[in-house]
Each structure stands twice: as structure tokens, then as C-alpha cells.
């Protein structure tokens, strides 16, 4: 292994088996339905030919792809039709994910995904053996191609592990509640397409199904709907548990590794020095239950919302302590924003429904007007809560800002990650003495606003964090 | 982490809270002409389109269009025209009074906007690229704009309406300085 530093390697030989799994499954499904219906349809033979081509394609892809690890870079070489060489300098690598779908796991394989930010692009090795994946991750992230001395297991420390009880938090977040609909929709769609291809769908059968549905008594339909609604939280818990099974955060060789998943185990490595902050997000239901989602803000990480995830749902105190061990102490209590900001939040919440109501009134649509008025009344507590959630704070090393109500998020960012300040004041804000301070950060979403601070506080906060950029432009300070 | 300074407690020392002063330089007065032409073209086009839509809806006499809509369809070009007039007469002058820029102490400091104003402070060390641009109208007026890009869209800015020579010199200076100061904080 030690002299293998510059040796071209191929992917694992079983790769083409995994690659052709989809074709294989399609073939099996086509064969099975063929047997059930009696007589193999043309679709079966098409699938067979498809499988043969698929195998050929996957074998040639495997044979023509090599990767070479040099002390300072990794080269991915593809010579199927044209030649292409992708070079990723090791010092540009920002994260290495190891992912394994169910077939990969059966064969002991893993997909290595190399993320190198905007300047380096990204590369994928699909697939290598699990040991090779671990070795690559270690080498790529420690920036030296020297293999680790045999016998010493890499030091790893568990920072956090999800408790099974927390899977029950799934229904609190809206996204997982909708999964049953998505699943049902895609399953029905696939089923319809497949059976249509195989000639199972005929006009009569469709009509039969239609008759059965229409023929059901109203009570039956209601029971069905109620069952479906009841199934939503249960399904969301199941989906959540499958996706986030045994969610574990580890510390290993200067990086933070998050592992999760039941059917396909996924592991994301985030380089510690590139973690510049964290985001704590929740919605009103999660707030009542004291649950929060934790995401790391990493410079140059693509798909950061999913890949930076450190905890999908956990009690607040637990998430805070993980944030502390990943990032360092968080700034203490948030400073609320001035009272003048409250009116603006409420007006912003009430404004859109009132505007629509006005247009509807001019157009003479009374029902729309009533609906919008109800919405406007409901928006008042929303606006008040939005005001209550506003806050900012800073300590010697990190600053934090919080905003939002239906999706509240608090961001903690290192002072060193700030790459600029933007102060925004509309005419109305100027009259109220308010200002929105936008923190430009080269990680995460890139910008985090502290909405409607007192104008002087906004400048003072920026001046406190980066005095050398701000003080030269402060009034009456030139002399001192 | 090179740029992290340990905090100096500014709140204790100063009785007055700090306020940003305006940046030192105005943009070229020809920028007003630029904005007038630009807004005039865009809003003129919008007005023409709105007029066309209104005439079309009135002439077509569809049953699908409810009566309350086709009766009031001429409001659309009137509203668009009124806003366009406002934009062409008020906004350029207002903008000229607001737009200012300054580069000192290795920080790019700009103030832009009119109705809503933005002050932007970006240290030269965090700049990734500096572009100069000249649109057709800018070329006729001898103006140019420079675009400063950082790793964050919020830290990127555009200074419009600079005289060409000023813009070129500034962009060159910034690019050199950014290269010298570049730190890998992003």
C-alpha cells in the first residue's frame, strides 16, 4: 500500500453488478408479471435486451475508468469515448461522503463522493470496497497519500447518537407528514406505467376499478380518508426512522462525520476547519415540543442543507451541546430588537392578505374578501411571534442572529467567517430608526440578516466584530 | 482565522453609538442620464405591452373573461404608465444623491439604492473577482460599472455610473490588492 501512492486503480470488480441492478430488477418484475398473466409479453424481451446492453455498458465503464492518488492530488481518468481526466487537488477537498445503497451493502461496496467546492468540482467513485472507501476518506481528508500505519485503528469519538425515541418527533416537521402522499403517488404511477407496458391495463379493468371506487358507500370513502390521515403520522415516523436510522455524529482526524440510514447507509465527512457555524431550525410545533434541527454551515459545500445536517430532530439541550462540541461555546442570551420593529413585522404579515382583499373588493368578489380578512386576522399573532423571535448576540468569537416564526432559524457564525456587512434601510425603516444588518458569510446560504435592529446597534455590532473594517467609516471617528 | 480580532469593548468606551458616514465619492453626474434612458426604455416597453394587452382584451370580447375584469382593463396601462413616469423622473435623481463609493483602509465601502438604501462594507482581502462592465448606453455616455464578487452573494456589489478611466483604474487596483491580501477564510 505504501508504494501504491501513484498507482492507477480500478473500481471494485463487482461494480457492474450494482450498476445493472436496476435493469435486473426490471427484468425480474417483467418476468414475474409475465408468469402471472400467462405468456411472456414483448416487454419482457425488450427488458432482456436492455439488460444485456446495460451489462455491456457497465462493464466497459468499469474497464475504462481508473483513479490515481498522488501525494497532492487525485486524478479520475475516463477513456470510454473521449478521454477525460479530472484532477482534484487534495487541499481543495472540502468533504468526502461515503454512501451505500442496499445492493452496495449486500456486496460490501460503497460510493465515495468527493466534494471540492466551486473551484475544484466534485468526483464520484462508484463503487469501491468498504475498506478502500475508508482508506480514501482518511487519505483525502488528511491531505497526505501516505497510508495509515497498519494495526492502529483511526481514533474516533462519538459526539452524538440519536435515540430511537426521537423518531417520534417526525410528524412535527411538515415535510415528513407529506411523505405518504409522495410515496403513494410514485408507487401508483410506477404500477400504472409498468402494468400498462405489460398490457395489464385494459379499458374494462380500469372501468371496473372506477366502478368499485364510485360504488363505495360514502361512509366507506370517509373511513378510507380517515385511515389515510391517521396513517400519515405513522408513515412519517417510519420514513424518518428509515432515513435517519442510528444517526451518529463522530469526530475523526480533524473532521466531523455524520452517519445515517437503514436501507442505504450514508456517511458525510465535514472538515472541521471548514465548519464555520451552525444553524438551529424549528417550526412552532417543534418549538412547543422543544425539538430542533441542527445543521453545520460549511464553506464551499454543495447541497449544504442535506449534507451539513448534524441532527434531524433532537431536544434543544442536546442539540446545543452538540453545537458546542462541533463549533465551540455559543453566545449567550439574545438581545431582542426594538419595539418599533414589532409594527413592521405585523404589517408585513397582514399586508399581503389585506392587499388581495382590496383587489377582490374592487373586483366585487365578496367571498374572497372574507377569506382574506380571516387570513389577515390570523396573520396578526404570526407577525407578533415573528417580532418575538428576532434577536442577535455576539461574544468574543461568534455571533448569532435569529428570525422567522413558521420556520424559525438561529444561525451561529464565527467572526472569522464574516466576509462583509450590508446594512439595508428602506424609507420606512429610516423613519423608525431601524436597519437590517445582513451578515455576508462564505458558507451556508451566504447571507444571514438581523432584521430591524436599532440603526445604531447595527453599526455598533459590525464595529465590535470587525472594528478595522467599520471604524474608518464611522462619523466623527477619523481623528481617533 | 487570521482576521479575527479579540473584541474591544466599544460600548463601554464611547458615549455616542457609532453611525456610518457617507462614502467619499459620488458617481458621475452622467449616471443620471444613464438611469433615465434605461428606465425610460424598460418602462416604455412595459407600458406598450400593457396597452397592447388592454386593447386585445377589450377587442376580443371573450366570454371567459369576467365582466368586472374587462371593464377595468384600462387601469393596467394607466398604472404601469404612472409608475414608469415616477421611475423616470424621480428615481434617477434620487439615486444620484444616494449612490456613493469609497475605497480606503483596504475596505470597499459603497452606498446604493434610493427608496431603500444599502450600505456595503467588504474588505479587499475577501474579494474573489473584480469585473468592469460597459453596456451600450454606458458606452455612449462614457461610463462603466465595476462588479465586486465575493464568496457570498450578499457581499458582492456593483458600483454603477463611474467614468471609464476611474472604473478601470479602480478595478486594476482592487484586483492587485485582493491578490496580495487574499486569505483563505472562505
Amino acid at each position: 500500500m505504501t508504494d501504491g501512492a501513484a498507482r492507477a486503480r480500478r473500481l471494485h470488480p463487482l461494480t457492474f453488478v450494482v450498476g445493472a441492478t436496476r435493469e435486473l430488477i426490471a427484468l425480474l418484475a417483467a418476468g414475474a408479471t409475465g408468469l402471472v398473466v400467462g405468456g411472456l409479453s414483448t416487454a419482457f424481451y425488450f427488458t432482456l435486451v436492455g439488460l444485456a446492453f446495460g451489462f455491456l455498458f457497465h462493464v466497459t465503464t468499469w474497464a475504462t475508468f481508473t483513479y490515481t492518488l498522488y501525494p497532492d492530488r487525485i486524478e479520475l481518468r475516463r477513456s470510454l469515448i473521449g478521454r477525460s481526466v479530472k484532477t482534484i487537488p487534495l487541499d481543495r477537498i472540502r468533504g468526502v461522503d461515503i454512501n451505500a445503497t442496499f445492493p452496495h451493502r449486500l456486496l460490501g461496496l460503497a460510493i465515495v463522493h468527493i466534494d471540492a467546492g466551486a473551484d475544484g468540482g466534485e468526483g464520484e467513485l462508484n463503487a469501491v470496497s468498504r475498506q478502500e472507501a475508508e482508506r480514501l476518506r482518511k487519505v483525502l481528508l488528511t491531505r497526505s497519500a501516505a497510508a495509515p500505519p497498519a494495526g492502529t485503528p483511526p481514533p474516533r469519538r462519538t459526539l452524538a447518537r440519536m435515540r430511537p425515541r426521537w423518531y417520534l418527533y417526525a410528524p412535527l416537521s411538515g415535510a415528513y407528514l407529506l411523505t405518504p402522499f409522495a410515496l403513494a403517488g410514485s408507487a401508483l404511477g410506477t404500477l400504472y406505467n409498468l402494468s400498462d407496458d405489460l398490457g395489464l391495463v385494459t379499458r374494462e379493468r380500469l372501468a371496473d376499478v372506477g366502478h368499485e371506487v364510485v360504488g363505495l358507500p360514502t361512509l366507506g370513502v370517509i373511513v378510507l380518508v380517515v385511515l389515510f390521515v391517521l396513517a400519515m403520522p405513522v408513515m412519517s415516523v417510519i420514513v424518518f426512522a428509515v432515513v435517519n436510522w442510528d444517526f451518529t455524529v463522530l469526530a475523526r482526524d480533524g473532521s466531523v462525520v455524520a452517519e445515517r440510514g437503514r436501507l442505504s447507509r450514508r456517511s458525510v465527512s465535514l472538515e472541521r476547519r471548514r465548519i464555520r457555524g451552525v444553524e438551529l431550525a424549528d417550526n412552532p410545533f417543534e418549538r412547543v415540543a422543544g425539538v430542533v434541527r441542527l445543521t453545520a454551515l460549511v464553506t464551499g459545500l454543495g447541497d449544504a442543507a442535506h449534507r451539513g445536517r448534524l441532527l434531524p430532530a433532537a431536544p434543544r439541550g442536546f442539540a446545543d451541546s452538540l453545537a458546542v462540541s462541533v463549533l465551540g461555546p455559543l453566545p449567550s442570551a439574545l438581545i431582542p430588537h426594538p419595539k418599533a420593529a414589532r409594527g413592521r413585522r405585523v404589517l408585513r404579515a397582514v399586508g399581503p392578505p389585506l392587499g388581495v382583499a382590496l383587489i377582490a373588493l374592487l373586483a366585487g368578489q365578496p367571498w374572497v374578501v372574507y377569506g382574506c380578512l380571516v387570513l389577515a386576522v390570523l396573520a396578526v399573532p404570526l407577525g407578533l411571534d415573528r417580532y418575538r423571535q428576532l434577536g442577535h448576540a455576539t461574544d468574543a468569537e461568534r455571533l448569532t442572529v435569529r428570525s422567522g416564526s413558521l420556520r424559525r432559524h438561529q444561525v451561529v457564525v464565527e467572526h472569522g467567517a464574516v466576509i462583509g456587512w450590508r446594512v439595508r434601510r428602506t424609507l420606512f425603516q429610516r423613519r423608525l430608526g431601524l436597519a437590517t444588518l445582513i451578515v455576508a458569510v462564505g458558507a451556508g446560504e451566504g447571507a444571514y440578516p438581523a432584521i430591524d435592529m436599532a440603526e445604531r446597534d447595527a453599526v455598533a455590532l459590525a464595529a465590535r466584530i470587525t472594528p478595522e473594517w467599520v471604524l474608518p467609516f464611522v462619523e466623527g471617528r477619523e481623528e481617533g | 482565522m487570521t482576521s479575527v480580532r479579540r473584541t474591544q469593548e466599544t460600548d463601554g468606551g464611547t458615549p455616542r453609538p457609532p453611525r456610518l458616514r457617507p462614502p467619499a465619492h459620488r458617481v458621475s453626474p452622467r449616471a443620471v442620464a444613464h438611469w433615465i434612458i434605461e428606465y425610460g426604455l424598460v418602462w416604455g416597453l412595459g407600458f406598450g405591452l400593457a396597452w397592447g394587452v388592454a386593447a386585445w382584451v377589450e377587442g376580443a370580447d371573450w366570454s371567459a373573461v369576467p365582466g368586472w375584469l374587462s371593464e377595468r382593463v384600462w387601469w393596467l396601462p394607466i398604472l404601469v404608465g404612472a409608475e414608469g413616469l415616477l421611475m423616470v423622473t424621480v428615481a434617477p435623481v434620487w439615486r444620484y444623491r444616494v449612490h456613493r463609493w469609497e475605497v480606503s483602509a483596504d475596505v470597499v465601502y459603497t452606498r446604493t439604492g434610493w427608496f431603500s438604501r444599502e450600505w456595503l462594507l467588504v474588505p479587499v482581502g475577501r474579494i474573489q473577482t473584480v469585473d468592469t462592465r460597459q453596456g451600450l448606453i454606458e458606452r455612449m455616455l462614457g461610463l462603466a460599472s465595476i462588479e465586486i464578487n465575493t464568496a457570498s452573494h450578499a457581499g458582492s456589489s456593483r458600483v454603477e455610473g463611474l467614468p471609464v478611466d476611474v472604473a478601470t483604474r479602480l478595478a486594476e487596483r482592487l484586483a492587485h490588492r485582493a491578490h496580495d491580501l487574499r486569505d483563505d477564510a472562505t
Side-chain angles (χ1 to χ4, degrees):
Chain A
M1 283 260 259
T2 39
D3 62 332
R7 202 182 78 208
R9 291 162 186 270
R10 279 191 204 294
L11 299 175
H12 197 278
L14 286 179
T15 298
F16 70 89
V17 179
V18 186
T21 314
R22 212 167 14 159
E23 286 94 339
L24 207 63
I25 290 174
L27 180 74
L28 286 179
T33 36
L35 287 178
V36 170
V37 180
L40 297 173
S41 60
T42 33
F44 180 78
Y45 298 105
F46 267 114
T47 329
L48 202 63
V49 174
L51 181 70
F53 270 107
F55 260 117
L56 197 67
F57 172 75
H58 288 295
V59 169
T60 34
T61 322
W62 173 78
T64 53
F65 181 83
T66 56
Y67 63 95
T68 316
L69 195 58
Y70 294 95
D72 60 332
R73 65 190 192 277
I74 182 166
E75 281 186 3
L76 313 179
R77 217 171 258 277
R78 190 181 295 283
S79 47
L80 182 54
I81 300 167
R83 270 169 185 282
S84 82
V85 180
K86 176 168 213 146
T87 306
I88 304 177
L90 293 194
D91 60 353
R92 285 282 161 210
I93 294 177
R94 276 136 198 229
V96 176
D97 294 5
I98 297 183
N99 203 348
T101 66
F102 192 58
H104 282 93
R105 294 181 75 188
L106 281 182
L107 296 169
L109 301 178
I111 305 167
V112 178
H113 187 92
I114 303 165
D115 191 71
D119 351 325
E122 49 188 13
E124 197 178 64
L125 299 174
N126 182 2
V128 294
S129 69
R130 276 210 80 80
Q131 300 93 293
E132 174 68 358
E134 287 296 329
R135 188 188 78 91
L136 278 174
R137 159 152 66 191
K138 188 166 171 52
V139 171
L140 292 177
L141 284 181
T142 49
R143 288 188 180 62
S144 92
T152 52
R156 44 190 276 167
R157 192 160 54 88
T158 305
L159 294 177
R161 163 165 264 158
M162 198 159 161
R163 308 218 174 101
R165 203 150 34 89
W166 299 347
Y167 299 136
L168 297 179
Y169 294 141
L172 296 176
S173 93
Y176 282 102
L177 269 187
L178 295 180
T179 39
F181 292 107
L183 280 182
S186 71
L188 277 180
T190 317
L191 208 64
Y192 182 83
N193 279 337
L194 200 65
S195 15
D196 198 21
D197 289 346
L198 297 171
L200 287 180
V201 178
T202 58
R203 197 170 289 272
E204 296 87 74
R205 282 184 199 170
L206 267 187
D208 278 352
V209 174
H211 275 301
E212 274 167 33
V213 172
V214 175
L216 277 178
T218 329
L219 191 68
V221 175
I222 291 174
V223 167
L224 267 182
V225 169
V226 167
L227 275 181
F228 195 74
V229 170
L230 283 182
M232 279 168 62
V234 180
M235 283 299 291
S236 70
V237 170
I238 293 172
V239 172
F240 184 84
V242 167
V243 173
N244 295 309
W245 187 262
D246 191 27
F247 197 108
T248 313
V249 182
L250 308 161
R252 179 161 56 191
D253 322 319
S255 52
V256 173
V257 185
E259 294 186 353
R260 65 154 185 260
R262 171 83 256 192
L263 290 179
S264 61
R265 190 84 179 143
R266 180 168 190 179
S267 130
V268 181
S269 295
L270 307 170
E271 219 189 321
R272 212 170 191 140
R273 62 178 196 111
R274 297 213 183 257
I275 299 180
R276 310 311 297 270
V278 291
E279 184 187 67
L280 296 149
D282 55 18
N283 63 30
F285 301 109
E286 290 171 322
R287 273 210 288 290
V288 170
V291 176
V292 72
R293 274 163 283 154
L294 182 69
T295 310
L297 305 181
V298 185
T299 52
L301 183 72
D303 189 19
H306 288 106
R307 297 176 55 206
R309 185 54 52 84
L310 291 180
L311 278 178
R316 180 109 214 160
F318 188 88
D320 280 349
S321 67
L322 178 61
V324 168
S325 58
V326 168
L327 190 69
L330 310 180
S332 53
L334 292 172
I335 302 163
H337 291 187
K339 280 275 181 283
R342 187 168 58 190
R344 263 177 67 77
R345 283 307 102 199
V346 173
L347 205 66
R348 284 279 183 118
V350 174
L354 277 189
V356 176
L358 189 70
I359 293 173
L361 190 68
L362 289 176
Q365 303 282 320
W367 285 108
V368 182
V369 177
Y370 300 147
C372 289
L373 288 181
V374 170
L375 278 182
V377 171
L378 288 178
V380 173
L382 177 69
L384 288 177
D385 192 51
R386 278 197 187 141
Y387 166 69
R388 247 196 317 278
Q389 304 303 347
L390 291 179
H392 68 273
T394 180
D395 60 13
E397 282 178 50
R398 278 164 276 272
L399 78 146
T400 177
V401 296
R402 189 176 72 182
S403 63
S405 172
L406 294 180
R407 188 180 169 273
R408 175 179 80 160
H409 42 131
Q410 181 181 0
V411 178
V412 184
V413 180
E414 283 176 1
H415 290 178
V418 177
I419 59 174
W421 300 105
R422 189 179 274 265
V423 179
R424 179 178 294 156
R425 307 184 70 200
T426 64
L427 188 64
F428 305 119
Q429 277 179 313
R430 291 201 288 277
R431 297 181 64 164
L432 292 168
L434 297 175
T436 295
L437 177 70
I438 300 161
V439 188
V441 179
E445 283 167 32
Y448 295 100
I451 298 163
D452 286 346
M453 293 173 74
E455 184 213 346
R456 289 163 181 239
D457 286 354
V459 180
L461 182 72
R464 189 176 160 194
I465 290 167
T466 57
E468 72 281 12
W469 309 347
V470 181
L471 290 184
F473 306 108
V474 162
E475 256 173 19
R477 281 294 202 90
E478 284 95 323
E479 68 278 355
Chain B
M1 293 291 281
T2 44
S3 59
V4 174
R5 299 279 182 281
R6 297 288 161 260
T7 338
Q8 20 188 12
E9 286 296 328
T10 42
D11 352 350
T14 54
R16 293 173 300 154
R19 251 189 109 112
L20 288 175
R21 64 170 168 81
H25 313 293
R26 278 185 193 280
V27 299
S28 159
R30 276 170 306 188
V32 178
H34 173 213
W35 286 316
I36 289 177
I37 296 171
E38 204 175 68
Y39 287 140
L41 287 176
V42 171
W43 284 94
L45 190 71
F47 180 65
L49 281 177
W51 188 281
V53 167
W56 187 38
V57 167
E58 197 178 47
D61 196 27
W62 291 321
S63 53
V65 179
W68 57 264
L69 186 66
S70 50
E71 279 164 28
R72 295 177 175 83
V73 77
W74 285 102
W75 288 19
L76 184 69
I78 292 172
L79 281 177
V80 172
E83 180 159 10
L85 203 64
L86 191 76
M87 291 296 283
V88 171
T89 51
V90 177
V93 181
W94 198 346
R95 259 185 199 283
Y96 175 69
R97 295 173 52 142
V98 174
H99 278 235
R100 280 167 168 269
W101 62 277
E102 180 176 348
V103 179
S104 59
D106 281 328
V107 176
V108 180
Y109 176 34
T110 60
R111 186 175 76 176
T112 54
W114 51 297
F115 183 81
S116 109
R117 290 180 194 175
E118 296 199 341
W119 288 254
L120 181 72
L121 291 156
V122 174
V124 176
R126 302 294 167 87
I127 293 175
Q128 288 184 325
T129 59
V130 183
D131 304 347
T132 39
R133 279 191 187 198
Q134 253 190 321
L136 189 66
I137 308 166
E138 282 176 305
R139 220 139 103 195
M140 292 188 317
L141 294 167
L143 294 174
S145 52
I146 74 172
E147 222 174 81
I148 294 158
N149 293 305
T150 64
S152 156
H153 61 89
S156 305
S157 80
R158 188 164 173 201
V159 186
E160 287 180 327
L162 299 176
V164 178
D165 52 330
V166 175
T168 347
R169 250 183 296 132
L170 185 63
E172 253 171 50
R173 204 177 106 207
L174 283 178
H176 274 291
R177 198 76 190 116
H179 180 76
D180 294 344
L181 292 175
R182 180 105 181 90
D183 64 57
D184 200 25
T186 50

